[in-house]
Amino acid sequence: MLVTPVTKLLNIRVPIVQGGMQWVGVPSLAAAVSNAGGLGILTALTQPSPEALREAIRETRRKTDKPFGVNITLLPTINPPDYEGYIRAAVAEGVRIFETAGNNPKKIIAYLKGEGCTIIHKCTNIRHAKSAERLGVDILSIDGFECAGHPGEDDMPGLVLLARAAQEVKLPYLASGGVADSRGFVAALALGASGINMGTRFMCTVESPIHVKIKEKIVESTEQDTIHIFRTMRNTARVFKNKVSEEVVAIERRPGSKFEDVRELVSGVRGREVYVRGDPDYGIWSLGISAGLIRDIPTCEELVGRLEREAEEMLNGGITRKLSAKL
Ligand code: NAD
């Protein structure tokens, strides 16, 4: 049993969290991760309205009696979402675990703390981690440059970022970005983390709602198959490398280019179609470099069980046994 501050705070068996993912964090996946002993997370903005989020929360409860959370991401969007409406809806439905991510979360953290919620806040550098600590969050999710989606603008890979968190941060933290197997899991614990957060790995499970052709594409992909878009707009995002993302980067390189010049190519509504049609080249979709580690499409129960078993074996002398076997 891997008992850590994170398993205690979240009341889960294994310190494995499924991070928020646009169009992917839906009831079937969140409930499957929670039933497997980790923490499943619903992505609020994937639902078209706060009322739809309420229904998604009820549906998740019908599928699991274990704890699960809701992700709220505060980043630039094409249509401004009703953040307050989503948050109030989740709280009214009895959700008490939130994953927050993105810019200026101060007001939201204050509100959620006032409602007695446990907050996991995603940070891509130590400065933001310390500021979130001061704001009163409960757990930090330290997100390295390897991650899918938005890695911030500091380009700080997990190996150094997590070790720096061990030096600077008092709160328990999850290692996020680049973790997809038990090696990464144990390395994260060695780097001071109390658990892991995985996104890309959970996209490629039986219960993930995306088209099976995209899951197969992830299995085929290597760590070379992602690209950064939005670098020039200080909203960097790591996505699957295809014709659309390469075109976005080419447009961004033109002098004077603006968001409007790429808006049609990058819109989330178009990206969603990738998952519906099973066409990896249709639009933009987030992918971490941990894709290079993924070789199968297991159920969440198989995946969480495998990571738990292998990590325990490594922590109980497996690593030293392997090293001495090489002598
Ligand atoms: P969207 O269709 O509104 O925008 C598509 C992409 O363009 C997003 O990455 C967004 O950040 C970016 N963008 C929008 N306006 C921009 C601007 N003015 N300047 C620079 N970049 C801009 O987004 P969506 O797909 O409907 O997603 C909604 C929100 O959720 C976005 O902020 C997105 O980044 C975020 N998101 C969250 C997760 C998560 O893990 N929770 C994953 C992916 C995306």
Side-chain angles (χ1 to χ4, degrees), residues 146-283:
E146 301 89 336
C147 71
H150 299 274
E153 307 305 321
D154 291 341
D155 301 1
M156 197 55 67
L159 195 59
V160 168
L161 191 58
L162 291 163
R164 285 284 296 129
Q167 292 176 335
E168 297 281 342
V169 156
K170 289 181 200 72
L171 286 178
Y173 55 92
L174 296 163
S176 180
V179 187
D181 62 13
S182 53
R183 291 191 182 99
F185 188 5
V186 172
L189 299 175
L191 288 163
S194 298
I196 54 171
N197 176 90
M198 302 194 296
T200 299
R201 177 63 272 199
F202 280 117
M203 279 172 83
C204 206
T205 56
V206 170
E207 296 90 346
S208 150
I210 65 177
H211 197 289
V212 70
K213 286 205 170 128
I214 303 302
K215 298 178 192 176
E216 288 164 0
K217 182 51 95 180
I218 297 175
V219 171
E220 266 172 44
S221 299
T222 76
E223 62 280 14
Q224 304 279 1
D225 288 321
T226 73
I227 188 170
H228 281 119
I229 59 170
F230 300 146
R231 278 248 99 145
T232 57
M233 299 169 206
R234 296 193 59 77
N235 185 32
T236 301
R238 188 188 290 283
V239 301
F240 180 66
K241 194 195 283 180
N242 60 15
K243 274 204 183 113
V244 183
S245 52
E246 285 180 317
E247 191 181 340
V248 171
V249 171
I251 295 171
E252 281 192 75
R253 284 202 184 112
R254 288 183 204 149
S257 69
K258 306 176 294 301
F259 179 74
E260 281 60 40
D261 303 327
V262 298
R263 180 206 299 255
E264 296 310 316
L265 293 170
V266 302
S267 93
V269 175
R270 177 168 172 171
R272 177 181 214 162
E273 285 299 302
V274 166
Y275 300 141
V276 174
R277 296 171 189 226
D279 177 358
D281 298 319
Y282 190 81

Side-chain angles (χ1 to χ4, degrees), residues 20-22 45 71 73 75-78 150 230 235 259 266-268:
M21 289 174 276
Q22 183 67 325
L45 298 186
N71 163 282
T73 299
L75 285 168
T77 51
I78 292 174
H150 299 274
F230 300 146
N235 185 32
F259 179 74
V266 302
S267 93

Side-chain angles (χ1 to χ4, degrees), residues 111-125:
Y111 170 74
L112 292 174
K113 286 315 294 175
E115 296 292 332
C117 299
T118 300
I119 304 175
I120 307 169
H121 185 68
K122 254 192 180 165
C123 309
T124 54
N125 65 34

Side-chain angles (χ1 to χ4, degrees), residues 46-64:
T46 292
Q47 301 301 326
S49 64
E51 193 46 48
L53 176 61
R54 290 182 82 127
E55 183 42 45
I57 291 165
R58 288 180 209 145
E59 190 185 332
T60 311
R61 281 230 174 82
R62 289 193 288 274
K63 293 181 191 304
T64 186

